[in-house]
Structure formats: structure tokens, C-alpha cells
Amino acid sequence: MSQYSTTYVPKSSFGKWFESRLPIASLVHSSFIAFPVPRNLTYFWTFGAILVFMLVAQIVTGVFLAMYYTPNAALAFQSVEHIMRDVNYGWLIRYLHANGASMFFVAVYIHIFRNFYYGSYKAPREVLYILGVIIFILMMATAFMGYVLPWGQMSFWGATVITNLFSALPVVGETIVSFLWGGYSVGNPTLNRFFSLHYLLPFMIFGVVILHVWALHVPGQNNPTGIPIKSGKDAVPFTPYATIKDIFAVVVFMIFFAYWVFYIPNYLGHADNYIPANPAVTPAHIVPEWYFLPFYAILRAIPDKLGGVIAMFSAILVWFLMPWLDTSKVRSTAYRPLYKQFFWVFVAVCILLGWLGAKPAEGWYVIVSQIATAYYFIHFLVILPVLGFVERPLPLPNSILESVMGVQKGGAGMPAGANAEPQSKG
Amino acid sequence: MAETTTHVAEPTRRDFLFIATGAAAAVGGATLVWPFIQSLAPDAATVAAGAPVEVDLSPIAAGQIVKVFWRGKLIFVRNRTPEEIKAAEDVNLASLRDPQPDSARVKPDHAQWLVVYGNCTHLGCVPLGNQGEYNGWFCPCHGSVFDTSGRVRGGPAPINLPIPPYAFVSDTKIIIGQEEATA
Ligand code: HEM
Ligand code: FES
């Protein structure tokens, strides 16, 4: 990368004056301009930028909604209808926010499965990955509490079912639940505190995102080969290459997002949520938002209250262990013929669980849910550790450059053993 | 800066002060958390709103289930038919998940009236009355089944529908929220 300047040199005298007091320009320069990016990244690597865009979009639309929304059990439903009918472009802001949550999850799921496929969770990126899982959990909490705010039937009963999960805990369960509710059932105090937290959590997510990006800039990005950058020829500078590609991907994603907002804005919602909350009647078929469905299916697969709750939380917590459960030294699934098959089976099982989560919990749906739930855990706890020992990976290319350009004649290749990575043993 | 002596083998007065300060800060910090956690609990107004409520039973027809609220919680008042009472009494207790005879779930001489909390003991949905295998309640959320005594007979619910505190003021009036009929 010798042809690009890597260190920031302020040109103006003000730039020099400022730099010696707050070196933010050089931080931006080294992180987002000169930062070396593997030259073989695909569009799967643009979802990080898409996620940052979605977070900002949710915060901007949310702050505006909060100007017109009333967090009171008697007024909340009305105020959302007021946003939809009376506030100028209120319908647009609300549809952007409601569908934005779904788009956020579309992007995060692609981002997560990209990590699973290319082994981005492995050394030296464990902390980066764990911060990502924390962001995902915070996102789920935020989206859940946001969904309660319009105070429709699904809001109310979703809140009831999810908060009641904690009542499964022995001894302290009931107390915890009444502390969550601020009463003896979901009610006005619950709505107030959920609104407060719904406003707070996205900013906490923002904080963790900063740590996530910081942790990314230590080892640098993974790439489709899984092998690290070894020479300047393996990389290109972040600007303009990654910047332009990310912007292009964000624009394409915005088109996808806009399709939902303008053509089918209620497709991902539930008609029951346009009925005001009624504590005396539960809708005949209560279903969470689509992004929770696989976890909901796991909850219902276990015919025991506490067991179901434990299984559901474990389904996410097991992600934290992935860097240590996967014993294979090869990162990218492109070079793991066996894991590649199991990876796609796992994707299929997750989609199946999502489908089952939307079905009534009866008959053979329950049995299939149980099998799929068992497989979900076997994937993490048995298949991942065992494969690392039994699988014979394909030969890795010597360098990223070689994987892109083919083996270079005349000495451009790496000496044998040069793709050993002393920094990533662990 | 003057040199500080840090390599003393024996604990010094400074060590003591250091530990004592740290301990005081830890206790202070923990104490400060307490009021914030407590503020989340049901507040005084919510607790006060839990005053007992009277329910007139006379308009409730045989077989009918009426929904009332006490402390924001849903309560079913069910006027059971003789068949429903018989079905509730003729049960092999050993076969129950949460064994309780029907007589322990109604007031003496008032077997006709079943008063239970109206939220499923699984995750809190409202079960549908006169439905399910035992014609008691069926919960649409995850399929819990309750009999005409409100006892769990199937599905994920772990325990029977609990009985709120209540008492008969007269034969046609109950008071929910207290165990004695002194209204
Ligand atoms: C991580 C980012 C966020 C996510 C995933 C999210 C998600 C949601 C969801 C799913 C809803 C329910 C939409 C509906 O069906 O009507 C909602 C509503 C709401 N959110 Fe957010 N939100 C986020 C950030 C924010 C922020 C930062 C604010 C405030 C500053 C905010 C304010 C609101 C308000 C006032 C509502 C109620 C109005 C409505 O229901 O449309 N949100 N949010
Ligand atoms: S809430 Fe009734 S079965 Fe789950």
C-alpha cells in the first residue's frame, strides 16, 4: 500500500493547531480512510455499514415519533393513531420506524450468518464477536419494548407473555415480574418504564457499536479466504474502495426498505395490534414479531415452563461460546467441505424454527419443533467441536492476492509456512 | 514528587485507611442502588388501588363466567352447573399435576361458585372459558388445559389457576381482596 499515504498530516495551520489538541482527524483518517481492507471482500461485508445506517435511521425516526407519542396507557394507542392521521408525514415516520426495526434485523441476521460462515468469530476476533452478540441482545430488548409502545392487543399480550417468562424462575420469579411491571399486571407503569428504556437502549447500542468497531480495527476485517492480510498487495485503502462500496450497498438496501414502507407497510405487523389493548381478552393467535420466531419456537418446544425459558435463553447464550466450541483452525467455510454442509443444514433448521414459531403449538408442529430445537443445540455443542477434529480442510491459498489473481509466477507467492499466524493462536 | 514507600512488609495505617475507604464506598454504592430498585416495585397508588371489590352474583346465570378486575388482575367468577361440579369432584387426585381437591378451591357450601385468577399460569394469557378437553378453560397461547375447578390438566402451565383472597358477604355477594366478610 506504499502508493497511499497512511499517516495523517494536517495541511492547514488550524488543522495543526487542532490536531495537537484533539487528534480526532488522524483517528478518522487511520480508521476510515487509510485503513487497510482485504481486497477480496464481497457484498456480505457491507452489512456492517448497513447496520450503522439502520441504527441511525431508527434513532432519527424514533426521536421524531417521541415528539408526538404519549406514553400513557389511556392515551398511547390514540397518540399513535394521531401520528398516523394528523401529524404531517407522521404515517411515513412511523412506517419507517416500524419497518426499520425489521430491516435492522434482516441486516443483523445476514451479518451474523456471514460471521458463522467465514469463521469471523475465531481468534483473534473473539471480543469483537462477543460485542456483536451483546448488540444483538440489546437490539432484541429494544425492539420488544418498542413493540409495546403502541399499546395494541399484540403489544399488551406480547409484553405479558415475555415478562411472565421471568416468573418461571424459582423463588424470586414472582417478585422480579412485579418489579418489571410496577404493578400486579402489565399496565401504565410498565408502559412508562418501557418507553424510558426504549429511548435509552439505542444509545447504549451506539456505545457498544463504537467498541465493536474499535475491536474490529485491531485485527482488521476477516475476508472470504479467512487468511489474514500479509502484505500491502492483499489490501486496498478503506477510502475510496470500501467507502464507495458501502454507500452503494446502503442505497440498494434503502430501495429494499422503501419497498416495504411504501407498498406493504403492515405486512410484517399484526392486524390485532390495531385493536386497543384489552386486559380481559387475549387474541386467538398471539405471535411475536418475525425476528423472534425461532426463539419463540424453542420456548414452546419444551413442555415445561422453566425448561422452555432456559432453552430459549440458552439458544442465544450459546453463541457466546462459539469461538471456543469451534475447534477447527480454518476460518472460512469455503475450505471446510464437511462444515459447509452442516452450515446449510443449520441455516435450514433456523428457518424451519422460524416457520414453526408462527404455527400453533399443537400436534406434529410440537414434535418437529422439538427435533429442530435438539438439532439447534447439537449443532453448537456436538457438531462444531467434533468437526474440527475429523474434518480434512482443503488447502488454503498462500495469500489473499493469490486467491484473487491466481498463483503468481515469478516469486510473488509466499514462502511455505508464511501463512502461519503467530498472533492468532488460541 | 517525593518517593513513596510501598514495599513495607507489615500492614500500615495507610493500608487500613485504604481498605476502610474502599469498604465504605462499596457499602455506600450498594445502598444508593436500593432506592432505585425499590422505585420499580408497585407504587403506593397501585397498592392502594388494590382495595377489595364487591361482586354481585345474582345476575350470573348457571354456566356463565364473569370477568372482574382486582388490583389490575383479571379474575373469573364462574357459576358452575351441577355437572361441572361433579366433573371437578370426581377426579383422581393422583393424576393431577398440581393435586388439589375441588373442595379446597371453593368456599364451604358454595361449591357452585368458582373464583380464580384469570391469567394462565404459564405466561399469562387469558384462557377461553367452557373450552378444552375438560370444558373448563383452554389457553389459546400455548395450549394449556384447565378443568371446571381451574386445575391444570394439560399443556405447559405448571400450576392450577390460583384462588384470590375473597369471602362471601351474603349468598349472592362476594368481596374480593380480603379473606373475611367484614366489608
Ligand atoms: C435500536 C433501535 C430501535 C428499534 C429496533 C426500535 C423498534 C421499535 C418498534 C418495533 C416499535 C413499534 C412500532 C409499531 O409497531 O408501531 C417502536 C416504536 C416506537 N419507538 Fe422505537 N426503536 C428503536 C429506536 C428508537 C429510539 C431511539 C426512539 C426515541 C428516541 C424510539 C421511539 C419510539 C416510539 C416513540 C415508538 C412508538 C410509536 C410507534 O409505535 O410507532 N425508538 N420502536
Ligand atoms: S400462556 Fe397459557 S399456555 Fe402459555
Side-chain angles (χ1 to χ4, degrees), chain A residues 284-308:
Chain A
H285 189 43
I286 76 157
V287 209
E289 293 287 85
W290 69 267
Y291 35 84
F292 295 132
L293 288 174
F295 301 106
Y296 194 58
I298 292 175
L299 166 78
R300 297 189 308 177
I302 314 290
D304 173 80
K305 183 168 164 180
L306 182 60

Side-chain angles (χ1 to χ4, degrees), chain A residues 157 160-161 164-165 167 178-185 189 193 279-284 286 296 299-300 302-305 309 361, chain B residues 37-43 46-47 67 69 71-74 119 121-128 138 140-143 155-156 158:
Chain A
W157 291 104
T160 299
V161 166
N164 261 310
L165 291 176
S167 73
S178 77
F179 273 62
L180 289 174
W181 289 339
Y184 303 105
S185 62
R193 61 190 58 180
V281 184
T282 306
I286 76 157
Y296 194 58
L299 166 78
R300 297 189 308 177
I302 314 290
D304 173 80
K305 183 168 164 180
V309 173
Chain B
I37 302 284
Q38 280 304 314
S39 80
L40 295 173
D43 61 26
T46 310
V47 176
K67 293 172 177 176
F69 283 93
R71 292 209 307 194
K73 282 194 86 86
L74 181 65
N119 292 99
T121 55
H122 181 226
L123 297 175
C125 292
V126 178
L128 305 168
F138 172 76
C141 287
H142 319 98

Side-chain angles (χ1 to χ4, degrees), chain A residues 15-38:
Chain A
K16 290 197 189 87
W17 180 88
F18 199 85
E19 181 67 14
S20 60
R21 285 159 179 81
L22 180 66
I24 192 167
S26 60
L27 179 70
V28 169
H29 183 90
S30 63
S31 311
F32 301 107
I33 296 174
F35 190 73
V37 169

